Amino acid sequence: MITMKDIVLEGHPVLREVAKEVILPASEEDVAIAKKMLEYLINSQDPEISAQYGLRPGIGLAAPQINVSKRIIAVHLTDDKGTLYSYGLFNPKIISHSVEKAYLSSGEGCLSVDRPVPGYVPRYSRITVTGTTIEGENIKLRLKGLPAICFQHEIDHINGIMFYDHINNEDPLAPIPGAIEITK
Ligand code: K2U
Ligand code: NI
């Protein structure tokens, strides 16, 4: 199982690389990586397991964060309507997005950043994402709210982008014009 020792911290060069496409159909090795990443998220959200292994709770994880420079992400969260989004996804791609922006009112954190970084992170409020699931299904997801924020955070990771790259350094908490505020 993945624990915190397996998650690389900011400053590690892999977090600034553009990760490589996964050759499909995914190999047993890449399927196992995606399954372990999803397992981490599920474990990290279990109070007993996360306490026992000292896991930081996560709703998303990208393969570069476990020092694997491949386009693999995992997401495990429930949105405000109670819809569960639980995926291990190969080669995720944002194929369209809204002009409208959104941001998390609490700002963002990252399992690879063990310090608070205050500031609003502008994201697209709605996105359409394609990718291939662990089961080998090619899917298209239309997302908004926290799922949209999470997928953008993880897809940033496979492009070598960190959430704080988007923060307005002059005024981190400046309102983002026209953006909607999302509370988690
Ligand atoms: O990629 C990661 O480091 C996991 C991130 C993903 C994430 C950050 C900000 C906003 C959305 C997703 C976090 O550690 S997951 C922790 C978390 C939990 C609930 C809501 C937001 C973030
Ligand atoms: Ni992160």
Side-chain angles (χ1 to χ4, degrees):
M1 70 179 276
I2 292 173
T3 60
M4 296 316 292
K5 69 174 176 26
D6 302 307
I7 296 178
V8 302
L9 293 179
E10 58 179 331
H12 192 298
V14 72
L15 292 174
R16 289 305 190 179
E17 291 177 13
V18 176
K20 296 164 194 62
E21 288 263 321
V22 169
I23 295 169
L24 299 174
S27 64
E28 286 182 13
E29 179 192 7
D30 287 345
V31 168
I33 289 167
K35 284 181 175 176
K36 279 175 55 177
M37 290 165 59
L38 192 52
E39 178 196 51
Y40 173 86
L41 297 176
I42 295 167
N43 286 344
S44 76
Q45 294 175 28
D46 178 305
E48 285 182 15
I49 299 175
S50 61
Q52 183 180 352
Y53 292 96
L55 308 181
R56 278 185 62 189
I59 57 172
L61 189 65
Q65 293 182 275
I66 57 170
N67 201 13
V68 173
S69 196
K70 292 186 178 181
R71 304 183 81 80
I72 307 172
I73 68 169
V75 171
H76 188 78
L77 75 129
T78 302
D79 72 5
D80 54 3
K81 292 186 173 54
T83 304
L84 175 65
Y85 295 80
S86 186
Y87 294 96
L89 214 51
F90 300 116
N91 305 325
K93 184 176 182 181
I94 297 172
I95 61 167
S96 66
H97 60 77
S98 59
V99 171
E100 185 184 57
K101 296 286 177 65
Y103 64 96
L104 268 189
S105 55
S106 61
E108 297 190 11
C110 181
L111 296 174
S112 295
V113 178
D114 56 5
R115 61 187 172 96
V117 181
Y120 295 139
V121 180
R123 300 286 186 187
Y124 299 121
S125 64
R126 295 179 303 282
I127 58 173
T128 301
V129 173
T130 58
T132 303
T133 67
I134 288 171
E135 298 76 19
E137 185 189 2
N138 294 326
I139 62 167
K140 181 187 294 189
L141 299 172
R142 292 174 181 78
L143 305 167
K144 60 181 178 181
L146 183 57
I149 301 282
C150 184
F151 271 79
Q152 289 175 80
H153 182 112
E154 302 315 327
I155 292 171
D156 266 356
H157 272 307
I158 61 175
N159 289 322
I161 298 166
M162 301 291 285
F163 74 92
Y164 45 67
D165 297 345
H166 299 288
I167 292 174
N168 173 350
N169 290 318
E170 282 72 50
D171 186 357
L173 296 172
I176 300 170
I180 58 173
E181 181 179 85
I182 295 170
T183 53
K184 58 183 177 181

